[in-house]
Amino acid sequence: SVREMQRVTDEWIRTVGVRYFNELTNFAQLAEEVGEVGRLISRIYGEQSFKESDRDKDLGEELADVLWVLTCLANQTGVDLTEAFEKRLAKKTKRDATRHKENPKLAP
């Protein structure tokens, strides 16, 4: 579960990683990791060609890097991602109950 992922991440940081980087550093790391995902997606699914240095990259590992730093940020700022996700899903479900179904751009 996401809650367990947050717990395991926190345990790892405290035992192996010594401490969390500060929030600003982790935010910069998050931006960097998201950029790496974008770079890889543009090569796998977009028109950009692979550079030799990109060929050994794995999309799953790059996404996991984003998830790792996001989890660190949530932990150090006191955000329960499970609770936050559930609230966001409820809000989106209520707000978008018919919006996407009525969008002609999304018709099958």
Side-chain angles (χ1 to χ4, degrees), residues 26-76:
N26 270 336
F27 180 75
Q29 288 289 312
L30 180 62
E32 182 179 321
E33 297 299 350
V34 169
E36 290 178 16
V37 169
R39 179 182 181 96
L40 190 54
I41 285 179
S42 73
R43 281 153 177 73
I44 295 172
Y45 302 103
E47 286 80 32
Q48 286 202 333
S49 60
F50 274 89
K51 293 181 179 178
E52 198 56 43
S53 60
D54 295 325
R55 292 197 183 279
D56 64 340
K57 303 286 183 178
D58 177 84
L59 182 57
E61 288 181 19
E62 298 302 331
L63 288 168
D65 286 345
V66 170
L67 190 56
W68 173 263
V69 180
L70 185 67
T71 302
C72 289
L73 276 167
N75 283 353
Q76 69 192 129

Side-chain angles (χ1 to χ4, degrees), residues 2 6 11 14 16 21 24 26 32 38 43 46 55 62 64 66 71 78 80-81 84 93 95-96 101-102 104 106:
V2 174
Q6 282 191 257
E11 183 178 316
R14 294 178 190 286
V16 178
F21 295 134
L24 184 57
N26 270 336
E32 182 179 321
R43 281 153 177 73
R55 292 197 183 279
E62 298 302 331
V66 170
T71 302
D80 179 329
L81 286 172
T93 299
R95 181 190 68 203
D96 299 334
K101 292 176 185 173
E102 295 171 356
L106 299 177

Side-chain angles (χ1 to χ4, degrees), residues 76-87:
Q76 69 192 129
T77 58
V79 172
D80 179 329
L81 286 172
T82 299
E83 183 180 304
F85 180 81
E86 289 169 354
K87 282 176 61 178

